[in-house]
Amino acid sequence: MFRILLSAGVLAFVAAAATAQPEQNLSRWKANMGRHQQVIMQGVPAPYDKMFDPTPDTVKHERLMRLQETIDFHAAKISEAMVGTTQRILVTGPAKKNPNELTGKTENMRQVNFAGDVRLVGQFVDVVITAPLTNSLRGRVAID
């Protein structure tokens, strides 16, 4: 028996062989997005090196693309919903693309880049999220 763990937008799974119902599994994943949910798939794992997989690579690639598009869509929705909110950020250091800015992580592990003094590194700072980007968020230090 395999267990698929869906939790807070993260999908971790182990598949023994190509499933006969990829659409059902993808729609099940979409329906449970954002909630802790376990979905159980039937099957007994065989040693990976002895498994035969009749699924063509083109089909696997197409399924992977659909899954990645779904994950990206939901990640963007979560990021967009954070705009205008104040998030507590652990400041980790200078931003990768702009060393004049700082970067840090939110409680839900989203990267936030913002202008700030280097003395904030290693501290928690309240930051107002101002814009969602593809792989990070923009913000500004919240003024009390």
Side-chain angles (χ1 to χ4, degrees), residues 28 48 72 102 111 119 123 127 129:
R28 203 181 275 166
Y48 290 112
D72 291 344
L102 297 175
Q111 182 130 358
R119 291 179 287 177
Q123 296 182 37
V127 173
I129 305 303

Side-chain angles (χ1 to χ4, degrees), residues 61-72:
H61 181 73
E62 196 274 331
R63 289 177 183 172
L64 177 61
M65 295 285 78
R66 284 192 320 226
L67 178 62
Q68 288 174 330
E69 287 171 3
T70 301
I71 291 170
D72 291 344

Side-chain angles (χ1 to χ4, degrees), residues 82 86-96 102-114 120-129 135-139:
M82 293 176 72
T86 300
Q87 301 289 320
R88 192 164 235 4
I89 307 297
L90 173 60
V91 182
T92 57
K96 193 185 289 186
L102 297 175
T103 190
K105 297 277 187 175
T106 64
E107 289 179 0
N108 63 358
M109 298 306 290
R110 288 200 162 41
Q111 182 130 358
V112 180
N113 296 322
F114 59 96
L120 297 175
V121 173
Q123 296 182 37
F124 285 97
V125 176
D126 287 333
V127 173
V128 176
I129 305 303
N135 296 309
S136 64
L137 299 166
R138 294 281 313 146

Side-chain angles (χ1 to χ4, degrees), residues 21-75:
Q21 303 166 335
E23 293 302 322
Q24 182 183 15
N25 292 336
L26 185 59
S27 62
R28 203 181 275 166
W29 183 80
K30 287 178 182 177
N32 291 297
M33 185 66 202
R35 294 191 299 260
H36 296 291
Q37 180 70 33
Q38 284 192 341
V39 179
I40 299 172
M41 295 175 62
Q42 301 297 322
V44 177
Y48 290 112
D49 59 341
K50 295 181 181 173
M51 290 173 45
F52 172 71
D53 186 0
T55 308
D57 284 344
T58 54
V59 172
K60 291 179 192 177
H61 181 73
E62 196 274 331
R63 289 177 183 172
L64 177 61
M65 295 285 78
R66 284 192 320 226
L67 178 62
Q68 288 174 330
E69 287 171 3
T70 301
I71 291 170
D72 291 344
F73 172 78
H74 286 287

